[in-house]
Amino acid sequence: EPPCRQQLRHLQDSAGIAARLPPRLEGRWVSTGCEVRPGPEFLTRSYLFYTNRLFKALQFYYWDPSCRDPSYSLVIKGKLRLRQASWITRGATEADYHLHKVGIVFHSPKAMREVASWINQTSGEGCRGFLPPGRSWAPGALYEVLSARTERDCTAALGFAMHELSLVRVERHFQPLLQPQQSGSRLVEELYLGDIHTDWGERLHYRPTGYQRPMQNALHHVHPCPACGIISRADEHHPPILPARAALPMQLSGSWVSTHCEVRPAVLFLTRYFTFHGNNQTWEGHYYHYSDPLCRQPTFTIYASGHYTQGIPSSKVRGGTELAFKVTQARVTPLDQVTVVMLNSSEPGSCGLAGSWSAGVEQDITPTNGCLALGIKLPHTEYELFKTERDTQERSLLYIGERPTDGSSPDSPDKRPTSYQAPLIQCAAASEEFSNYISLKYVGRKDANGIKALKPLPVAFLLFIALLFLRWD
């Protein structure tokens, strides 16, 4: 069986993932590498949750995409209260948090000058004297930027908010041990916190509906993870310096597939599978959409294809490559009754042949210039950001730019992403490229008469779908 198909099947079986509601948060959680947030901002995180609901979160910021040159660190203390399961993001728990104090430690005079100028420019009276002019840099000094007691808050200038704590999910699974002499497996726990809005101006009041790159439990993480130990031992005065990594040339050719069920803001669950043909710069992508956070209940599949431009190094996001993608053709396969009804009730001429959609049957939407109901316009150009990396097991990873949080498309150069989605893993090299379509079987449940009965979806979700103009990406 081809490795790409194997990986997709593994995702559909959701690889023994368990997610408790409400989640257990006690303990330390760390980034597994250098993270990129929209902006771009480069950071690593180390969050400690106590049994009495208090937490202490460390965020370490860097000048560079390898997280080797620290600029400043934030120490964030507060209290977190888990509430009910989220009805918008299935599988997540909503939470309320309260910040007690936030302190900043500068790791260089340059960092101190830069942050002081942001704060002095953008803050109200209360923060004017945050750093008196002429105050010199003192290594190890902690300056308070937020205090609940004195009601002082100078954090807005940093684009700082902890809304990520308002959406929480913990996943547990077992990693098989790789060494031949060891049998059995090892527990891995991942903490998914709310996503950061791609538009800097929106991030201060945005309430997340998707997730950012997961942190892992400092005790229960995937091995090997060179960054995990370094980050868990660090503190605000000794920020983590991650091991140097060789820069990789951008090698797109071949096939790439999701490593887990992915969540998008405005709540779409999906897995992605792409093939890039470097010889003629064409690409094809399969987007498998689901209604649940483990990607077990398919709703529809999109197949899209087109061509792409030669990449150039990004001037805005160091380490990234800029490309333009042209989408010229697309086909849609509805896989559940909800999607069939939605497509059949769409405006004639706006999405395939009106009234002719049925579950499990693919239809070309190129003749109708896309599908209005699914937010697909053809032909269509997207301005993209890519990067390739190797993971600790020397497998090739492909990061594609984060989608705009508002559900729009990066259809002009100024909307080009400055951060990335979850990575795809290479499942076939260029020589093994195959373009046969990997279809996900129409998954229903047979009832007593052997007729496929579709599993009903929760009413809240149906309403939500009806209200949303579904977006694809």
Side-chain angles (χ1 to χ4, degrees):
E1 180 178 51
C4 296
R5 195 175 295 231
Q6 224 174 320
Q7 171 70 1
L8 280 163
R9 175 154 309 145
H10 166 77
L11 288 173
Q12 244 195 325
D13 302 339
S14 29
I17 292 169
R20 282 183 44 159
L21 289 175
R24 299 264 307 267
L25 290 183
E26 289 78 46
R28 184 176 295 283
W29 303 83
V30 294
S31 304
T32 54
C34 197
E35 301 179 344
V36 186
R37 283 186 174 181
E41 288 180 326
F42 306 112
L43 78 159
T44 57
R45 298 175 291 154
S46 174
Y47 292 4
L48 180 59
F49 295 96
Y50 299 97
T51 43
N52 58 2
R53 297 204 197 133
L54 293 175
F55 68 85
K56 178 184 178 179
L58 296 171
Q59 293 182 349
F60 307 101
Y61 290 84
Y62 302 81
W63 300 107
D64 68 305
S66 308
C67 290
R68 291 181 54 73
D69 185 8
S71 59
Y72 64 88
S73 299
L74 295 179
V75 190
I76 304 135
K77 293 181 176 177
K79 190 164 203 166
L80 183 73
R81 187 172 65 92
L82 295 175
R83 290 172 46 221
Q84 71 281 357
S86 165
W87 67 271
I88 294 181
T89 308
R90 290 180 65 186
T93 298
E94 291 178 3
D96 289 327
Y97 69 92
H98 180 67
L99 297 183
H100 297 156
K101 51 171 64 162
V102 178
I104 188 167
V105 175
F106 301 104
H107 302 305
S108 68
K110 177 185 165 197
M112 183 173 188
R113 281 195 305 275
E114 192 161 294
V115 171
S117 74
W118 294 339
I119 290 180
N120 291 341
Q121 275 163 33
T122 52
S123 305
E125 282 308 307
C127 295
R128 267 299 133 66
F130 165 69
L131 285 176
R135 176 81 175 272
S136 66
W137 174 66
L142 181 78
Y143 302 91
E144 202 167 74
V145 284
L146 178 147
S147 161
R149 209 188 57 234
T150 63
E151 294 186 359
R152 166 191 173 94
D153 182 358
C154 313
T155 57
L158 299 169
F160 168 83
M162 281 304 276
H163 300 325
E164 63 194 87
L165 292 177
S166 59
L167 200 66
V168 183
R169 175 177 170 85
V170 171
E171 286 188 0
R172 304 174 59 141
H173 63 94
F174 287 90
Q175 174 195 13
L177 298 175
L178 297 169
Q179 286 73 18
Q181 71 275 18
Q182 299 173 297
S183 62
S185 56
R186 171 190 281 123
L187 174 66
V188 174
E189 289 191 302
E190 295 190 299
L191 170 62
Y192 289 83
L193 294 174
D195 61 312
I196 308 295
H197 202 290
T198 51
D199 176 346
W200 187 276
E202 297 289 323
R203 68 197 276 178
L204 294 183
H205 43 254
Y206 167 68
R207 289 294 166 175
T209 53
Y211 305 115
Q212 53 189 308
R213 176 170 164 173
M215 301 168 83
Q216 291 188 4
N217 189 306
L219 294 176
H220 306 295
H221 57 262
V222 168
H223 289 261
C225 175
C228 295
I230 297 172
I231 296 169
S232 67
R233 289 189 294 272
D235 62 39
E236 60 272 29
H237 304 297
H238 310 93
I241 313 280
L242 298 192
R245 305 279 299 275
L248 284 182
M250 187 72 194
Q251 291 290 354
L252 258 190
S253 290
S255 297
W256 308 80
V257 64
S258 296
T259 59
H260 58 79
C261 184
E262 300 170 3
V263 184
R264 292 273 181 286
V267 196
L268 292 173
F269 301 104
L270 78 161
T271 56
R272 297 171 292 150
Y273 166 61
F274 290 102
T275 298
F276 297 95
H277 306 279
N279 49 3
N280 59 2
Q281 301 217 294
T282 59
W283 68 278
E284 37 194 333
H286 304 258
Y287 305 81
Y288 305 103
H289 289 256
Y290 303 84
S291 62
D292 69 297
L294 289 177
C295 289
R296 284 178 177 163
Q297 297 159 13
T299 51
F300 61 96
T301 297
I302 295 167
Y303 165 82
S305 62
H307 46 89
Y308 59 95
T309 60
Q310 195 63 48
I312 56 163
S314 167
S315 54
K316 199 165 179 190
V317 187
R318 274 202 290 155
T321 299
E322 296 184 350
L323 301 154
F325 268 73
K326 187 120 188 188
V327 190
T328 49
Q329 288 180 303
R331 306 196 290 263
V332 170
T333 311
L335 292 167
D336 72 341
Q337 227 36 63
V338 181
T339 313
V340 170
V341 169
M342 182 184 74
L343 295 176
N344 277 333
S345 56
S346 61
E347 191 73 35
S350 74
C351 185
L353 195 57
S356 71
W357 292 93
S358 64
V361 180
E362 182 178 69
Q363 207 181 129
D364 191 349
I365 55 168
T366 315
T368 50
N369 297 326
C371 177
L372 196 60
L374 295 176
I376 304 170
K377 284 197 286 288
L378 293 173
H380 177 70
T381 300
E382 302 210 326
Y383 294 85
E384 263 301 356
L385 179 72
F386 275 50
K387 76 168 170 176
T388 47
E389 261 183 17
R390 286 244 155 87
D391 71 6
T392 49
Q393 289 157 39
E394 289 304 307
R395 298 174 302 188
S396 295
L397 300 178
L398 172 65
Y399 290 83
I400 300 181
E402 189 88 68
R403 309 297 303 176
T405 309
D406 62 10
S408 65
S409 152
D411 51 12
S412 61
D414 58 304
K415 291 178 74 177
R416 195 186 294 276
T418 55
S419 59
Y420 303 97
Q421 301 174 42
L424 304 170
I425 194 161
Q426 188 164 36
C427 56
S431 58
E432 310 157 31
E433 283 175 20
F434 60 96
S435 57
N436 60 346
Y437 183 34
I438 296 185
S439 70
L440 287 180
K441 290 289 169 275
Y442 173 44
V443 183
R445 296 282 167 270
K446 287 207 163 99
D447 66 13
N449 314 323
I451 299 160
K452 281 203 168 173
L454 284 154
K455 289 198 300 215
L457 288 166
V459 174
F461 185 72
L462 298 189
L463 272 173
F464 186 66
I465 288 276
L467 296 170
L468 252 195
F469 247 54
L470 276 179
R471 294 279 176 183
W472 77 297
D473 48 56

